[in-house]
mmCIF file of all heavy atoms in Angstrom:
data_model
loop_
_atom_site.group_PDB
_atom_site.id
_atom_site.type_symbol
_atom_site.label_atom_id
_atom_site.label_comp_id
_atom_site.label_asym_id
_atom_site.label_seq_id
_atom_site.Cartn_x
_atom_site.Cartn_y
_atom_site.Cartn_z
ATOM 1 N N ARG K 374 1.644 -3.356 -18.768
ATOM 2 C CA ARG K 374 0.269 -2.965 -18.520
ATOM 3 C C ARG K 374 0.078 -2.616 -17.045
ATOM 4 O O ARG K 374 -0.654 -1.674 -16.672
ATOM 5 C CB ARG K 374 -0.714 -4.079 -18.952
ATOM 6 C CG ARG K 374 -0.824 -4.239 -20.467
ATOM 7 C CD ARG K 374 -1.988 -5.130 -20.820
ATOM 8 N NE ARG K 374 -2.004 -5.489 -22.245
ATOM 9 C CZ ARG K 374 -1.509 -6.529 -22.779
ATOM 10 N NH1 ARG K 374 -1.047 -7.516 -21.993
ATOM 11 N NH2 ARG K 374 -1.552 -6.784 -24.046
ATOM 12 N N GLY K 375 0.705 -3.461 -16.166
ATOM 13 C CA GLY K 375 0.603 -3.134 -14.795
ATOM 14 C C GLY K 375 1.242 -1.775 -14.360
ATOM 15 O O GLY K 375 0.733 -1.041 -13.590
ATOM 16 N N HIS K 376 2.350 -1.517 -15.055
ATOM 17 C CA HIS K 376 3.097 -0.255 -14.872
ATOM 18 C C HIS K 376 2.236 0.937 -15.386
ATOM 19 O O HIS K 376 2.059 1.905 -14.656
ATOM 20 C CB HIS K 376 4.425 -0.288 -15.610
ATOM 21 C CG HIS K 376 5.309 0.896 -15.216
ATOM 22 N ND1 HIS K 376 6.187 0.867 -14.262
ATOM 23 C CD2 HIS K 376 5.394 2.102 -15.840
ATOM 24 C CE1 HIS K 376 6.780 2.084 -14.185
ATOM 25 N NE2 HIS K 376 6.307 2.825 -15.158
ATOM 26 N N TYR K 377 1.667 0.799 -16.552
ATOM 27 C CA TYR K 377 0.803 1.814 -17.118
ATOM 28 C C TYR K 377 -0.427 2.058 -16.217
ATOM 29 O O TYR K 377 -0.899 3.148 -16.056
ATOM 30 C CB TYR K 377 0.327 1.480 -18.500
ATOM 31 C CG TYR K 377 1.439 1.229 -19.588
ATOM 32 C CD1 TYR K 377 1.155 0.473 -20.741
ATOM 33 C CD2 TYR K 377 2.683 1.756 -19.359
ATOM 34 C CE1 TYR K 377 2.117 0.260 -21.639
ATOM 35 C CE2 TYR K 377 3.737 1.580 -20.332
ATOM 36 C CZ TYR K 377 3.390 0.835 -21.525
ATOM 37 O OH TYR K 377 4.400 0.617 -22.374
ATOM 38 N N GLY K 378 -0.918 0.896 -15.659
ATOM 39 C CA GLY K 378 -2.127 1.025 -14.877
ATOM 40 C C GLY K 378 -1.972 1.870 -13.602
ATOM 41 O O GLY K 378 -2.894 2.493 -13.197
ATOM 42 N N TYR K 379 -0.689 1.869 -13.059
ATOM 43 C CA TYR K 379 -0.485 2.715 -11.849
ATOM 44 C C TYR K 379 0.093 4.065 -12.270
ATOM 45 O O TYR K 379 -0.316 5.095 -11.754
ATOM 46 C CB TYR K 379 0.445 1.964 -10.958
ATOM 47 C CG TYR K 379 0.664 2.739 -9.652
ATOM 48 C CD1 TYR K 379 -0.276 2.789 -8.670
ATOM 49 C CD2 TYR K 379 1.817 3.486 -9.428
ATOM 50 C CE1 TYR K 379 -0.138 3.509 -7.495
ATOM 51 C CE2 TYR K 379 2.000 4.232 -8.289
ATOM 52 C CZ TYR K 379 1.016 4.249 -7.302
ATOM 53 O OH TYR K 379 1.182 4.992 -6.143
ATOM 54 N N PHE K 380 1.096 4.056 -13.112
ATOM 55 C CA PHE K 380 1.873 5.315 -13.372
ATOM 56 C C PHE K 380 1.285 6.068 -14.575
ATOM 57 O O PHE K 380 1.786 7.160 -14.879
ATOM 58 C CB PHE K 380 3.310 4.971 -13.632
ATOM 59 C CG PHE K 380 4.070 4.587 -12.395
ATOM 60 C CD1 PHE K 380 4.353 3.258 -12.205
ATOM 61 C CD2 PHE K 380 4.476 5.490 -11.453
ATOM 62 C CE1 PHE K 380 5.012 2.852 -11.020
ATOM 63 C CE2 PHE K 380 5.151 5.118 -10.298
ATOM 64 C CZ PHE K 380 5.421 3.771 -10.095
ATOM 65 N N GLY K 381 0.218 5.557 -15.207
ATOM 66 C CA GLY K 381 -0.355 6.260 -16.403
ATOM 67 C C GLY K 381 -1.309 7.372 -15.925
ATOM 68 O O GLY K 381 -2.509 7.229 -16.069
ATOM 69 N N ILE K 382 -0.719 8.428 -15.453
ATOM 70 C CA ILE K 382 -1.533 9.643 -15.038
ATOM 71 C C ILE K 382 -1.181 10.789 -15.981
ATOM 72 O O ILE K 382 -0.218 10.847 -16.606
ATOM 73 C CB ILE K 382 -1.298 10.009 -13.598
ATOM 74 C CG1 ILE K 382 0.074 10.602 -13.393
ATOM 75 C CG2 ILE K 382 -1.554 8.773 -12.676
ATOM 76 C CD1 ILE K 382 0.285 11.112 -11.954
ATOM 77 N N THR K 383 -2.048 11.766 -15.919
ATOM 78 C CA THR K 383 -1.947 12.980 -16.703
ATOM 79 C C THR K 383 -0.507 13.575 -16.569
ATOM 80 O O THR K 383 0.026 13.710 -15.429
ATOM 81 C CB THR K 383 -2.941 14.037 -16.288
ATOM 82 O OG1 THR K 383 -4.284 13.463 -16.502
ATOM 83 C CG2 THR K 383 -2.869 15.284 -17.187
ATOM 84 N N GLN K 384 0.114 13.949 -17.660
ATOM 85 C CA GLN K 384 1.459 14.576 -17.749
ATOM 86 C C GLN K 384 2.576 13.651 -17.372
ATOM 87 O O GLN K 384 3.712 14.116 -17.088
ATOM 88 C CB GLN K 384 1.507 15.835 -16.916
ATOM 89 C CG GLN K 384 0.493 16.920 -17.280
ATOM 90 C CD GLN K 384 0.679 18.240 -16.695
ATOM 91 O OE1 GLN K 384 1.779 18.540 -16.239
ATOM 92 N NE2 GLN K 384 -0.339 19.096 -16.625
ATOM 93 N N ASN K 385 2.319 12.379 -17.365
ATOM 94 C CA ASN K 385 3.438 11.428 -17.067
ATOM 95 C C ASN K 385 3.688 10.516 -18.251
ATOM 96 O O ASN K 385 4.299 9.448 -18.153
ATOM 97 C CB ASN K 385 3.060 10.573 -15.829
ATOM 98 C CG ASN K 385 4.304 9.845 -15.289
ATOM 99 O OD1 ASN K 385 5.377 10.317 -15.286
ATOM 100 N ND2 ASN K 385 4.102 8.621 -14.840
ATOM 101 N N TYR K 386 3.232 10.948 -19.433
ATOM 102 C CA TYR K 386 3.329 10.057 -20.639
ATOM 103 C C TYR K 386 4.729 9.793 -20.964
ATOM 104 O O TYR K 386 5.177 8.666 -21.445
ATOM 105 C CB TYR K 386 2.564 10.686 -21.782
ATOM 106 C CG TYR K 386 2.457 9.844 -23.025
ATOM 107 C CD1 TYR K 386 1.456 8.812 -23.039
ATOM 108 C CD2 TYR K 386 3.295 9.994 -24.101
ATOM 109 C CE1 TYR K 386 1.402 7.969 -24.145
ATOM 110 C CE2 TYR K 386 3.148 9.124 -25.214
ATOM 111 C CZ TYR K 386 2.227 8.160 -25.259
ATOM 112 O OH TYR K 386 2.098 7.285 -26.302
ATOM 113 N N ARG K 387 5.657 10.826 -20.885
ATOM 114 C CA ARG K 387 7.025 10.616 -21.309
ATOM 115 C C ARG K 387 7.690 9.512 -20.440
ATOM 116 O O ARG K 387 8.521 8.744 -21.009
ATOM 117 C CB ARG K 387 7.801 11.928 -21.144
ATOM 118 C CG ARG K 387 7.476 12.957 -22.201
ATOM 119 C CD ARG K 387 8.402 14.128 -22.042
ATOM 120 N NE ARG K 387 8.175 15.179 -23.047
ATOM 121 C CZ ARG K 387 8.892 16.292 -23.181
ATOM 122 N NH1 ARG K 387 9.833 16.609 -22.308
ATOM 123 N NH2 ARG K 387 8.606 17.168 -24.100
ATOM 124 N N ALA K 388 7.398 9.475 -19.235
ATOM 125 C CA ALA K 388 8.009 8.409 -18.356
ATOM 126 C C ALA K 388 7.470 6.999 -18.761
ATOM 127 O O ALA K 388 8.293 6.040 -18.724
ATOM 128 C CB ALA K 388 7.632 8.627 -16.877
ATOM 129 N N LEU K 389 6.300 6.889 -19.256
ATOM 130 C CA LEU K 389 5.794 5.661 -19.746
ATOM 131 C C LEU K 389 6.495 5.265 -21.082
ATOM 132 O O LEU K 389 6.801 4.082 -21.234
ATOM 133 C CB LEU K 389 4.264 5.728 -20.020
ATOM 134 C CG LEU K 389 3.375 6.132 -18.823
ATOM 135 C CD1 LEU K 389 1.915 6.030 -19.222
ATOM 136 C CD2 LEU K 389 3.648 5.358 -17.594
ATOM 137 N N VAL K 390 6.717 6.243 -21.910
ATOM 138 C CA VAL K 390 7.447 5.983 -23.184
ATOM 139 C C VAL K 390 8.874 5.441 -22.857
ATOM 140 O O VAL K 390 9.379 4.565 -23.519
ATOM 141 C CB VAL K 390 7.503 7.242 -24.053
ATOM 142 C CG1 VAL K 390 8.463 7.000 -25.229
ATOM 143 C CG2 VAL K 390 6.086 7.624 -24.520
ATOM 144 N N ARG K 391 9.485 6.037 -21.833
ATOM 145 C CA ARG K 391 10.839 5.649 -21.477
ATOM 146 C C ARG K 391 10.825 4.165 -20.974
ATOM 147 O O ARG K 391 11.703 3.422 -21.389
ATOM 148 C CB ARG K 391 11.355 6.534 -20.355
ATOM 149 C CG ARG K 391 12.735 6.094 -19.892
ATOM 150 C CD ARG K 391 13.262 6.847 -18.726
ATOM 151 N NE ARG K 391 14.454 6.232 -18.239
ATOM 152 C CZ ARG K 391 15.064 6.625 -17.135
ATOM 153 N NH1 ARG K 391 14.584 7.666 -16.352
ATOM 154 N NH2 ARG K 391 16.231 6.002 -16.694
ATOM 155 N N ILE K 392 9.809 3.808 -20.176
ATOM 156 C CA ILE K 392 9.762 2.452 -19.728
ATOM 157 C C ILE K 392 9.633 1.475 -20.856
ATOM 158 O O ILE K 392 10.283 0.419 -20.904
ATOM 159 C CB ILE K 392 8.600 2.284 -18.703
ATOM 160 C CG1 ILE K 392 8.981 2.806 -17.354
ATOM 161 C CG2 ILE K 392 8.196 0.788 -18.533
ATOM 162 C CD1 ILE K 392 9.966 1.977 -16.609
ATOM 163 N N LEU K 393 8.799 1.787 -21.786
ATOM 164 C CA LEU K 393 8.618 0.898 -23.025
ATOM 165 C C LEU K 393 9.947 0.856 -23.760
ATOM 166 O O LEU K 393 10.363 -0.298 -24.136
ATOM 167 C CB LEU K 393 7.524 1.477 -23.911
ATOM 168 C CG LEU K 393 7.384 0.709 -25.228
ATOM 169 C CD1 LEU K 393 6.998 -0.692 -25.037
ATOM 170 C CD2 LEU K 393 6.281 1.447 -26.086
ATOM 171 N N TYR K 394 10.613 1.944 -24.052
ATOM 172 C CA TYR K 394 11.883 1.933 -24.797
ATOM 173 C C TYR K 394 12.948 1.125 -24.071
ATOM 174 O O TYR K 394 13.599 0.297 -24.626
ATOM 175 C CB TYR K 394 12.319 3.324 -25.036
ATOM 176 C CG TYR K 394 13.678 3.408 -25.659
ATOM 177 C CD1 TYR K 394 13.864 3.137 -27.013
ATOM 178 C CD2 TYR K 394 14.822 3.805 -24.910
ATOM 179 C CE1 TYR K 394 15.160 3.170 -27.603
ATOM 180 C CE2 TYR K 394 16.068 3.864 -25.505
ATOM 181 C CZ TYR K 394 16.206 3.556 -26.786
ATOM 182 O OH TYR K 394 17.445 3.608 -27.367
ATOM 183 N N GLU K 395 13.036 1.375 -22.689
ATOM 184 C CA GLU K 395 14.081 0.695 -21.964
ATOM 185 C C GLU K 395 13.769 -0.821 -21.914
ATOM 186 O O GLU K 395 14.720 -1.609 -21.933
ATOM 187 C CB GLU K 395 14.190 1.276 -20.587
ATOM 188 C CG GLU K 395 14.653 2.698 -20.496
ATOM 189 C CD GLU K 395 16.141 2.865 -20.822
ATOM 190 O OE1 GLU K 395 16.814 1.831 -20.960
ATOM 191 O OE2 GLU K 395 16.622 3.980 -20.840
ATOM 192 N N THR K 396 12.570 -1.179 -21.839
ATOM 193 C CA THR K 396 12.141 -2.596 -21.811
ATOM 194 C C THR K 396 12.590 -3.298 -23.163
ATOM 195 O O THR K 396 13.139 -4.392 -23.144
ATOM 196 C CB THR K 396 10.664 -2.740 -21.574
ATOM 197 O OG1 THR K 396 10.311 -2.219 -20.291
ATOM 198 C CG2 THR K 396 10.237 -4.219 -21.629
ATOM 199 N N GLN K 397 12.302 -2.624 -24.211
ATOM 200 C CA GLN K 397 12.736 -3.126 -25.521
ATOM 201 C C GLN K 397 14.254 -3.264 -25.625
ATOM 202 O O GLN K 397 14.767 -4.327 -26.140
ATOM 203 C CB GLN K 397 12.263 -2.202 -26.680
ATOM 204 C CG GLN K 397 10.697 -2.177 -26.812
ATOM 205 C CD GLN K 397 10.292 -1.130 -27.811
ATOM 206 O OE1 GLN K 397 11.007 -0.123 -28.102
ATOM 207 N NE2 GLN K 397 9.019 -1.270 -28.295
ATOM 208 N N CYS K 398 14.974 -2.331 -25.092
ATOM 209 C CA CYS K 398 16.415 -2.402 -25.082
ATOM 210 C C CYS K 398 16.921 -3.592 -24.246
ATOM 211 O O CYS K 398 17.869 -4.285 -24.673
ATOM 212 C CB CYS K 398 17.043 -1.075 -24.642
ATOM 213 S SG CYS K 398 16.759 0.296 -25.704
ATOM 214 N N ILE K 399 16.373 -3.705 -23.056
ATOM 215 C CA ILE K 399 16.776 -4.802 -22.171
ATOM 216 C C ILE K 399 16.412 -6.111 -22.811
ATOM 217 O O ILE K 399 17.275 -7.043 -22.775
ATOM 218 C CB ILE K 399 16.068 -4.647 -20.789
ATOM 219 C CG1 ILE K 399 16.574 -3.392 -20.046
ATOM 220 C CG2 ILE K 399 16.274 -5.938 -19.953
ATOM 221 C CD1 ILE K 399 15.799 -3.068 -18.811
ATOM 222 N N TRP K 400 15.311 -6.251 -23.376
ATOM 223 C CA TRP K 400 14.880 -7.515 -24.101
ATOM 224 C C TRP K 400 15.906 -7.792 -25.169
ATOM 225 O O TRP K 400 16.352 -8.984 -25.328
ATOM 226 C CB TRP K 400 13.453 -7.366 -24.571
ATOM 227 C CG TRP K 400 12.833 -8.644 -24.987
ATOM 228 C CD1 TRP K 400 13.238 -9.921 -24.663
ATOM 229 C CD2 TRP K 400 11.678 -8.831 -25.741
ATOM 230 N NE1 TRP K 400 12.438 -10.919 -25.194
ATOM 231 C CE2 TRP K 400 11.419 -10.220 -25.869
ATOM 232 C CE3 TRP K 400 10.764 -7.985 -26.324
ATOM 233 C CZ2 TRP K 400 10.376 -10.765 -26.559
ATOM 234 C CZ3 TRP K 400 9.661 -8.459 -27.019
ATOM 235 C CH2 TRP K 400 9.461 -9.835 -27.143
ATOM 236 N N TYR K 401 16.229 -6.810 -25.946
ATOM 237 C CA TYR K 401 17.167 -6.964 -27.027
ATOM 238 C C TYR K 401 18.546 -7.497 -26.527
ATOM 239 O O TYR K 401 19.174 -8.420 -27.047
ATOM 240 C CB TYR K 401 17.375 -5.707 -27.785
ATOM 241 C CG TYR K 401 18.612 -5.631 -28.701
ATOM 242 C CD1 TYR K 401 18.665 -6.429 -29.845
ATOM 243 C CD2 TYR K 401 19.667 -4.807 -28.351
ATOM 244 C CE1 TYR K 401 19.787 -6.408 -30.657
ATOM 245 C CE2 TYR K 401 20.795 -4.787 -29.189
ATOM 246 C CZ TYR K 401 20.844 -5.572 -30.291
ATOM 247 O OH TYR K 401 21.998 -5.573 -31.073
ATOM 248 N N ARG K 402 19.000 -6.870 -25.434
ATOM 249 C CA ARG K 402 20.347 -7.240 -24.945
ATOM 250 C C ARG K 402 20.402 -8.695 -24.483
ATOM 251 O O ARG K 402 21.323 -9.440 -24.706
ATOM 252 C CB ARG K 402 20.748 -6.322 -23.745
ATOM 253 C CG ARG K 402 21.157 -4.937 -24.172
ATOM 254 C CD ARG K 402 21.894 -4.288 -23.045
ATOM 255 N NE ARG K 402 21.085 -3.983 -21.887
ATOM 256 C CZ ARG K 402 20.418 -2.944 -21.659
ATOM 257 N NH1 ARG K 402 20.324 -1.950 -22.602
ATOM 258 N NH2 ARG K 402 19.690 -2.804 -20.595
ATOM 259 N N TRP K 403 19.277 -9.123 -23.871
ATOM 260 C CA TRP K 403 19.295 -10.515 -23.361
ATOM 261 C C TRP K 403 19.031 -11.540 -24.452
ATOM 262 O O TRP K 403 19.564 -12.648 -24.427
ATOM 263 C CB TRP K 403 18.325 -10.682 -22.154
ATOM 264 C CG TRP K 403 18.905 -10.095 -20.899
ATOM 265 C CD1 TRP K 403 18.497 -8.959 -20.302
ATOM 266 C CD2 TRP K 403 19.963 -10.580 -20.138
ATOM 267 N NE1 TRP K 403 19.208 -8.689 -19.249
ATOM 268 C CE2 TRP K 403 20.151 -9.752 -19.076
ATOM 269 C CE3 TRP K 403 20.727 -11.756 -20.230
ATOM 270 C CZ2 TRP K 403 21.117 -9.952 -18.062
ATOM 271 C CZ3 TRP K 403 21.749 -11.970 -19.274
ATOM 272 C CH2 TRP K 403 21.914 -11.063 -18.194
ATOM 273 N N LEU K 404 18.220 -11.144 -25.426
ATOM 274 C CA LEU K 404 17.996 -12.059 -26.573
ATOM 275 C C LEU K 404 19.286 -12.194 -27.365
ATOM 276 O O LEU K 404 19.598 -13.305 -27.899
ATOM 277 C CB LEU K 404 16.873 -11.469 -27.499
ATOM 278 C CG LEU K 404 15.457 -11.598 -26.960
ATOM 279 C CD1 LEU K 404 14.449 -11.042 -27.987
ATOM 280 C CD2 LEU K 404 15.120 -13.069 -26.679
ATOM 281 N N SER K 405 20.067 -11.138 -27.435
ATOM 282 C CA SER K 405 21.339 -11.235 -28.211
ATOM 283 C C SER K 405 22.349 -12.132 -27.562
ATOM 284 O O SER K 405 23.324 -12.542 -28.169
ATOM 285 C CB SER K 405 21.922 -9.862 -28.393
ATOM 286 O OG SER K 405 22.299 -9.311 -27.135
ATOM 287 N N ARG K 406 22.084 -12.499 -26.302
ATOM 288 C CA ARG K 406 23.020 -13.373 -25.547
ATOM 289 C C ARG K 406 22.599 -14.867 -25.614
ATOM 290 O O ARG K 406 23.260 -15.713 -25.037
ATOM 291 C CB ARG K 406 23.154 -12.950 -24.098
ATOM 292 C CG ARG K 406 23.697 -11.543 -23.964
ATOM 293 C CD ARG K 406 23.859 -11.159 -22.491
ATOM 294 N NE ARG K 406 24.196 -9.736 -22.293
ATOM 295 C CZ ARG K 406 24.514 -9.242 -21.085
ATOM 296 N NH1 ARG K 406 24.463 -9.979 -20.012
ATOM 297 N NH2 ARG K 406 24.830 -7.960 -21.018
ATOM 298 N N ARG K 407 21.477 -15.093 -26.313
ATOM 299 C CA ARG K 407 21.009 -16.477 -26.321
ATOM 300 C C ARG K 407 21.936 -17.412 -27.104
ATOM 301 O O ARG K 407 22.033 -18.605 -26.859
ATOM 302 C CB ARG K 407 19.638 -16.542 -26.924
ATOM 303 C CG ARG K 407 18.562 -15.805 -26.076
ATOM 304 C CD ARG K 407 17.194 -16.470 -26.226
ATOM 305 N NE ARG K 407 16.634 -16.491 -27.585
ATOM 306 C CZ ARG K 407 15.417 -16.925 -27.863
ATOM 307 N NH1 ARG K 407 14.667 -17.398 -26.864
ATOM 308 N NH2 ARG K 407 14.954 -16.861 -29.057
ATOM 309 N N SER K 408 22.566 -16.851 -28.135
ATOM 310 C CA SER K 408 23.470 -17.694 -28.935
ATOM 311 C C SER K 408 24.765 -16.894 -29.274
ATOM 312 O O SER K 408 24.700 -15.775 -29.701
ATOM 313 C CB SER K 408 22.749 -18.033 -30.255
ATOM 314 O OG SER K 408 23.609 -18.720 -31.119
ATOM 315 N N ARG K 409 25.941 -17.522 -28.950
ATOM 316 C CA ARG K 409 27.161 -16.884 -29.208
ATOM 317 C C ARG K 409 27.555 -16.926 -30.697
ATOM 318 O O ARG K 409 28.347 -16.135 -31.165
ATOM 319 C CB ARG K 409 28.239 -17.606 -28.365
ATOM 320 C CG ARG K 409 28.059 -17.404 -26.907
ATOM 321 C CD ARG K 409 29.134 -18.090 -26.122
ATOM 322 N NE ARG K 409 29.034 -17.897 -24.619
ATOM 323 C CZ ARG K 409 29.840 -18.403 -23.777
ATOM 324 N NH1 ARG K 409 30.921 -19.092 -24.145
ATOM 325 N NH2 ARG K 409 29.682 -18.229 -22.498
ATOM 326 N N SER K 410 27.001 -17.958 -31.435
ATOM 327 C CA SER K 410 27.421 -18.140 -32.783
ATOM 328 C C SER K 410 26.588 -17.291 -33.740
ATOM 329 O O SER K 410 27.026 -16.995 -34.871
ATOM 330 C CB SER K 410 27.275 -19.593 -33.197
ATOM 331 O OG SER K 410 25.846 -19.996 -33.024
ATOM 332 N N LYS K 411 25.426 -16.857 -33.348
ATOM 333 C CA LYS K 411 24.523 -16.093 -34.223
ATOM 334 C C LYS K 411 24.399 -14.675 -33.702
ATOM 335 O O LYS K 411 23.898 -14.382 -32.656
ATOM 336 C CB LYS K 411 23.136 -16.739 -34.302
ATOM 337 C CG LYS K 411 22.218 -16.045 -35.317
ATOM 338 C CD LYS K 411 20.876 -16.788 -35.373
ATOM 339 C CE LYS K 411 19.983 -16.096 -36.389
ATOM 340 N NZ LYS K 411 18.648 -16.776 -36.474
ATOM 341 N N HIS K 412 24.866 -13.715 -34.546
ATOM 342 C CA HIS K 412 24.785 -12.309 -34.162
ATOM 343 C C HIS K 412 23.344 -11.755 -34.409
ATOM 344 O O HIS K 412 22.733 -12.088 -35.350
ATOM 345 C CB HIS K 412 25.777 -11.466 -34.978
ATOM 346 C CG HIS K 412 25.665 -10.020 -34.723
ATOM 347 N ND1 HIS K 412 26.048 -9.449 -33.495
ATOM 348 C CD2 HIS K 412 25.203 -9.005 -35.487
ATOM 349 C CE1 HIS K 412 25.878 -8.186 -33.510
ATOM 350 N NE2 HIS K 412 25.331 -7.844 -34.749
ATOM 351 N N MET K 413 22.898 -10.957 -33.444
ATOM 352 C CA MET K 413 21.578 -10.320 -33.585
ATOM 353 C C MET K 413 21.677 -8.840 -33.520
ATOM 354 O O MET K 413 22.300 -8.291 -32.602
ATOM 355 C CB MET K 413 20.677 -10.834 -32.424
ATOM 356 C CG MET K 413 19.255 -10.182 -32.336
ATOM 357 S SD MET K 413 18.301 -10.891 -31.055
ATOM 358 C CE MET K 413 16.896 -9.845 -31.129
ATOM 359 N N ASP K 414 21.134 -8.244 -34.548
ATOM 360 C CA ASP K 414 21.224 -6.709 -34.615
ATOM 361 C C ASP K 414 19.809 -6.138 -34.390
ATOM 362 O O ASP K 414 18.805 -6.839 -34.190
ATOM 363 C CB ASP K 414 21.804 -6.242 -35.931
ATOM 364 C CG ASP K 414 21.036 -6.817 -37.088
ATOM 365 O OD1 ASP K 414 19.870 -7.171 -36.928
ATOM 366 O OD2 ASP K 414 21.613 -6.841 -38.209
ATOM 367 N N TRP K 415 19.759 -4.804 -34.367
ATOM 368 C CA TRP K 415 18.486 -4.097 -34.126
ATOM 369 C C TRP K 415 17.472 -4.365 -35.263
ATOM 370 O O TRP K 415 16.258 -4.342 -35.029
ATOM 371 C CB TRP K 415 18.680 -2.637 -33.938
ATOM 372 C CG TRP K 415 18.668 -2.276 -32.455
ATOM 373 C CD1 TRP K 415 19.771 -1.991 -31.691
ATOM 374 C CD2 TRP K 415 17.503 -2.271 -31.624
ATOM 375 N NE1 TRP K 415 19.334 -1.720 -30.397
ATOM 376 C CE2 TRP K 415 18.010 -1.888 -30.341
ATOM 377 C CE3 TRP K 415 16.176 -2.485 -31.787
ATOM 378 C CZ2 TRP K 415 17.153 -1.793 -29.243
ATOM 379 C CZ3 TRP K 415 15.317 -2.322 -30.700
ATOM 380 C CH2 TRP K 415 15.845 -1.960 -29.447
ATOM 381 N N ASP K 416 17.914 -4.626 -36.494
ATOM 382 C CA ASP K 416 16.946 -4.939 -37.543
ATOM 383 C C ASP K 416 16.195 -6.223 -37.214
ATOM 384 O O ASP K 416 14.986 -6.332 -37.405
ATOM 385 C CB ASP K 416 17.702 -5.085 -38.850
ATOM 386 C CG ASP K 416 18.189 -3.762 -39.417
ATOM 387 O OD1 ASP K 416 17.564 -2.729 -39.021
ATOM 388 O OD2 ASP K 416 19.132 -3.697 -40.205
ATOM 389 N N CYS K 417 16.909 -7.211 -36.681
ATOM 390 C CA CYS K 417 16.300 -8.439 -36.217
ATOM 391 C C CYS K 417 15.344 -8.209 -35.104
ATOM 392 O O CYS K 417 14.268 -8.777 -35.018
ATOM 393 C CB CYS K 417 17.392 -9.480 -35.907
ATOM 394 S SG CYS K 417 16.732 -11.075 -35.324
ATOM 395 N N MET K 418 15.745 -7.286 -34.151
ATOM 396 C CA MET K 418 14.887 -7.058 -33.026
ATOM 397 C C MET K 418 13.633 -6.331 -33.474
ATOM 398 O O MET K 418 12.514 -6.575 -32.935
ATOM 399 C CB MET K 418 15.645 -6.101 -32.000
ATOM 400 C CG MET K 418 14.886 -5.927 -30.735
ATOM 401 S SD MET K 418 14.680 -7.456 -29.785
ATOM 402 C CE MET K 418 13.378 -6.997 -28.637
ATOM 403 N N ARG K 419 13.736 -5.433 -34.433
ATOM 404 C CA ARG K 419 12.518 -4.770 -34.948
ATOM 405 C C ARG K 419 11.590 -5.738 -35.483
ATOM 406 O O ARG K 419 10.289 -5.595 -35.346
ATOM 407 C CB ARG K 419 12.939 -3.700 -35.970
ATOM 408 C CG ARG K 419 13.671 -2.474 -35.349
ATOM 409 C CD ARG K 419 13.792 -1.388 -36.417
ATOM 410 N NE ARG K 419 14.678 -0.323 -35.919
ATOM 411 C CZ ARG K 419 15.970 -0.306 -36.196
ATOM 412 N NH1 ARG K 419 16.545 -1.202 -36.989
ATOM 413 N NH2 ARG K 419 16.690 0.683 -35.715
ATOM 414 N N GLU K 420 12.059 -6.748 -36.204
ATOM 415 C CA GLU K 420 11.195 -7.779 -36.773
ATOM 416 C C GLU K 420 10.503 -8.616 -35.626
ATOM 417 O O GLU K 420 9.310 -8.867 -35.714
ATOM 418 C CB GLU K 420 12.015 -8.740 -37.615
ATOM 419 C CG GLU K 420 12.543 -8.155 -38.918
ATOM 420 C CD GLU K 420 13.365 -9.135 -39.732
ATOM 421 O OE1 GLU K 420 13.456 -10.323 -39.340
ATOM 422 O OE2 GLU K 420 13.956 -8.723 -40.708
ATOM 423 N N ILE K 421 11.254 -8.783 -34.554
ATOM 424 C CA ILE K 421 10.659 -9.517 -33.428
ATOM 425 C C ILE K 421 9.554 -8.707 -32.779
ATOM 426 O O ILE K 421 8.451 -9.180 -32.447
ATOM 427 C CB ILE K 421 11.709 -9.859 -32.384
ATOM 428 C CG1 ILE K 421 12.675 -10.951 -32.916
ATOM 429 C CG2 ILE K 421 11.104 -10.245 -31.059
ATOM 430 C CD1 ILE K 421 13.849 -11.209 -32.008
#
Side-chain angles (χ1 to χ4, degrees):
R374 290 192 187 99
H376 189 90
Y377 301 158
Y379 183 76
F380 290 101
I382 69 173
T383 302
Q384 299 193 22
N385 195 38
Y386 189 79
R387 286 187 178 181
L389 305 186
V390 172
R391 177 187 170 186
I392 282 288
L393 173 60
Y394 173 73
E395 295 286 357
T396 299
Q397 292 172 341
C398 292
I399 292 170
W400 195 15
Y401 164 69
R402 285 197 297 270
W403 284 107
L404 286 180
S405 65
R406 300 183 187 185
R407 295 212 299 184
S408 174
R409 295 182 179 179
S410 60
K411 184 178 179 180
H412 176 70
M413 178 178 172
D414 56 22
W415 259 105
D416 289 335
C417 182
M418 187 63 196
R419 291 189 188 95
E420 293 179 4
I421 290 175

